[in-house]
Amino acid sequence: MSEPAPGGPADRFLLRAAAGLAALGAAAVAAIFVLVLAAVIVRYLFAAPFRFTEELGGLLLSATVFLTLPFTIAAHRNIRVTILSDRLGPPARRLVWVAGQGVLIAFAAIFAWEAWKITEFTLLLNLKTDVSRVPLAPFMIALTVSVALAGLIGAWQALRPPPGQDTE
Amino acid sequence: MIWASLFTLLGATVFTGAVLGAALGLTGFAILYFYADGATQLGVQAVWNVLNEFTLTAIPLFILLGEILVASGLATRVYKALSPAFARVRGGLLHTNIAVCGLFGAVSGSSLSVAAAVGSVAYPELTRRGYDKRAVLGSLAGGGTLGLLIPPSLSLLIFGALTETSIGQLFLAGVFPGLMMAALFMAYIWWSAYRRPERIPPSTDRLPLGQTLRALFSIWPIVVLIAAVLGSLFAGLATPTESAAVGVAAAIVLGFAMGDLTIAGLARAFHATAVTFTVIGVVFMGAVVLAQSISILQLPQKLLEEITALGISAYVMLLVVVLVYLVLGLFFDGLSMMIMTLPIVFPLLTGLGFEAVWVGVMVTLMIEVGMLTPPVGMNLFVLVGITRQEASLSDAAEGALPYWILLLVGLSLITLFPVLTTGLPRLAGL
């Protein structure tokens, strides 16, 4: 579960970009904690609950996932079923690794493309949340960019040996 | 035809070793594209809607609570306080492992956090005293599963959010089965120590009763945390999300005041939470796209109609579901297994007459079984990591085997006596 050792400039750039976004993801977790705790406090002490807790909490939740996604891909933290590939010899394992990364790239490409269409629509109508009027566009952009970056990192990793075969 | 496409695509994508969420999601996109007039955008919209669900914010907060408990070192204090209480019982400190795991399970919703927090304290201490390492690892792996069953529970939270079942009811439903499993684990430890006394060294720290009780008093920080989390929730003062936030605040205060928590440690806990939640979130993304495709094509309803037409009884179907989970547990980690199977299993079992909260506890027990099933049993991995490779995965699996069997015994008991799960929610009138 260790982070991959940075190789060339492209590796370092991708890992740093992903780590920077993950730091924002961690900040989003901290923001969820502060928001929910503050909501409890004002509800009990001042009998005046925030109107925006649920909507903002939900948006911060999705921001956490999408901002941290590229890092989990770059650092090989995601869950994979490797029971089959672990038993293959190096050439076959490399082939299966590329196929697996192909699955990730295809999923990210379709997801980012469909998300971009929703983002365009959100920007066009300047959509906001129902109650607290928080603009949705920044969150949709974060979603689209993060998934696209995750796909890009997946493509870059496909050119490298699978984890555990780095010394090949 | 659709079932053949579904399983072929799923097998072909998952077994390439692709990121699991991507494999599930790509299968869902393919089904939406080819069988639902190219409606792939529905999958993305469903993901957006689910990941904006406020109820789910309880998940990162409970993960954060577990991370802070690990970072603050409170486990050491609680472990030392409880050790003398079990020194007189046959099985000694192996009972302490179960008891401390149960206590930590009542503040943390994660099996891995509990196994990691208690294991990092207990393994070096018990092996130093001459306990058999397989027995220690088994009790920690088994005890760790209590983190998922005793409320608050990540799996029950996710189950509630995905199936729109009351999380308060689910948490209450987990109380008796959690205590029952802890009692079964302790009974096994007692019996095992009776049969093979050479695996457990004689106790050297028997204290007089007064001192033992005084030592017990020092577990109060964990009692405060339990009161903050479960007390606020069950007293109706807070929602699950709010009780998690209150618990995090209490853990931070206690961690700084009485534990080893530092600002850097807290920052690491936030980062680790974001990463852990995203790992779950990626499986969520893929499973939600897949669930959307399955739901649009009304596959669970069709399956239910076919089963009803065949006249298969509810209990035979339950047995089939359990067997499927046992097989899936060989390949998938527990939470992924639940997220990807719920779109079919939940409507199927509730359609056959099983109560929603009972299904939640049953699925959680199966996740726990998966946590102890090699080669991907996550509790086993965490514990082997804690031993710094002193023990192998097969040592941990061998030690955990009796607990794996006991979890299935527990499942049989809640099937024979459903009141064990449904009784408390009914009593509370939720």
Side-chain angles (χ1 to χ4, degrees), chain B residues 8 25 47 58 135-136 156 204 229 323 331 352 387 428:
Chain B
T8 309
V47 169
V136 177
L156 291 176
T204 52
V229 177
L323 290 175
F331 309 109
L352 288 168
T387 69

Side-chain angles (χ1 to χ4, degrees), chain A residues 76 80 93-101 157-158 160-163:
Chain A
H76 299 291
R80 297 167 181 265
R93 195 174 161 206
R94 180 73 186 262
L95 207 64
V96 173
W97 163 251
V98 172
Q101 291 302 98
Q157 286 172 333
R160 299 277 187 274

Side-chain angles (χ1 to χ4, degrees), chain B residues 154-232:
Chain B
L154 278 189
S155 67
L156 291 176
L157 260 171
I158 295 173
F159 180 92
L162 288 182
T163 62
E164 296 181 0
T165 307
S166 157
I167 289 165
Q169 268 195 357
L170 284 165
F171 279 4
L172 278 175
V175 173
F176 273 146
L179 295 175
M180 176 185 77
M181 288 317 308
L184 282 175
F185 291 165
M186 284 182 157
Y188 164 72
I189 288 170
W190 188 92
W191 178 76
S192 159
Y194 178 75
R195 258 188 77 234
R196 297 182 64 184
E198 75 280 1
R199 296 173 79 185
I200 294 159
S203 171
T204 52
D205 54 359
R206 284 190 183 191
L207 296 177
L209 191 62
Q211 277 187 43
T212 303
L213 291 175
R214 272 196 294 281
L216 270 181
F217 184 71
S218 61
I219 67 165
W220 70 263
I222 205 86
V223 177
V224 168
L225 275 177
I226 293 172
V229 177
L230 292 186
S232 62

Side-chain angles (χ1 to χ4, degrees), chain A residues 43-44 58 68 79-80 96 114, chain B residues 17 20 40 52 237 242 278:
Chain A
R43 182 151 60 86
Y44 276 102
T68 317
I79 297 165
R80 297 167 181 265
V96 173
E114 294 294 1
Chain B
L20 182 58
T40 43
N52 272 294
L237 298 172
E242 290 172 345
T278 302

Side-chain angles (χ1 to χ4, degrees), chain B residues 91-417:
Chain B
L93 293 182
L94 296 182
H95 290 292
T96 315
N97 290 351
I98 303 297
V100 179
C101 283
L103 275 175
F104 271 71
V107 280
S108 167
S110 155
S111 183
L112 293 181
S113 294
V114 170
V118 183
S120 58
V121 181
Y123 183 79
E125 179 66 20
L126 268 68
T127 46
R128 186 182 63 77
R129 291 184 185 216
Y131 279 75
D132 178 80
K133 68 180 174 188
R134 277 173 294 243
V136 177
L137 289 171
S139 65
L140 289 168
T145 65
L146 297 174
L148 268 188
L149 198 53
I150 293 177
S153 152
L154 278 189
S155 67
L156 291 176
L157 260 171
I158 295 173
F159 180 92
L162 288 182
T163 62
E164 296 181 0
T165 307
S166 157
I167 289 165
Q169 268 195 357
L170 284 165
F171 279 4
L172 278 175
V175 173
F176 273 146
L179 295 175
M180 176 185 77
M181 288 317 308
L184 282 175
F185 291 165
M186 284 182 157
Y188 164 72
I189 288 170
W190 188 92
W191 178 76
S192 159
Y194 178 75
R195 258 188 77 234
R196 297 182 64 184
E198 75 280 1
R199 296 173 79 185
I200 294 159
S203 171
T204 52
D205 54 359
R206 284 190 183 191
L207 296 177
L209 191 62
Q211 277 187 43
T212 303
L213 291 175
R214 272 196 294 281
L216 270 181
F217 184 71
S218 61
I219 67 165
W220 70 263
I222 205 86
V223 177
V224 168
L225 275 177
I226 293 172
V229 177
L230 292 186
S232 62
L233 179 65
F234 291 148
L237 298 172
T239 63
T241 306
E242 290 172 345
S243 71
V246 171
V248 169
I252 290 173
V253 171
L254 289 169
F256 276 118
M258 317 193 59
D260 308 322
L261 191 61
T262 58
I263 295 288
L266 187 60
R268 277 195 297 274
F270 280 120
H271 188 268
T273 301
V275 170
T276 305
F277 179 61
T278 302
V279 168
I280 297 172
V282 172
V283 183
F284 247 91
M285 283 170 67
V288 167
V289 176
L290 186 60
Q292 187 71 14
S293 67
I294 288 172
S295 143
I296 282 180
L297 299 175
Q298 296 192 312
L299 294 185
Q301 289 86 337
K302 286 177 186 163
L303 184 64
L304 189 59
E305 280 166 20
E306 281 170 26
I307 287 167
T308 312
L310 285 172
I312 297 173
S313 85
Y315 289 99
V316 172
M317 201 57 232
L318 175 66
L319 184 65
V320 172
V321 169
V322 169
L323 290 175
V324 168
Y325 274 135
L326 287 178
V327 174
L328 289 178
L330 293 169
F331 309 109
F332 298 96
D333 90 290
L335 285 178
S336 311
M337 187 169 81
M338 177 179 82
I339 296 167
M340 62 187 273
T341 54
L342 270 190
I344 290 181
V345 166
F346 182 74
L348 183 66
L349 291 183
T350 50
L352 288 168
F354 293 100
E355 284 192 38
V357 290
W358 185 91
V359 176
V361 174
M362 183 280 286
V363 171
T364 298
L365 275 167
M366 291 316 299
I367 290 175
E368 290 175 339
V369 171
M371 292 281 195
L372 303 188
T373 306
V376 290
M378 297 300 277
N379 276 18
L380 305 181
F381 274 122
V382 167
L383 289 168
V384 170
I386 282 170
T387 69
R388 298 179 193 278
Q389 317 309 320
E390 190 182 294
S392 66
L393 187 65
S394 41
D395 286 330
E398 197 185 320
L401 181 63
Y403 300 88
W404 189 93
I405 295 168
L406 284 173
L407 285 166
L408 291 178
V409 170
L411 178 63
S412 311
L413 287 173
I414 66 157
T415 307
L416 286 172
F417 308 105

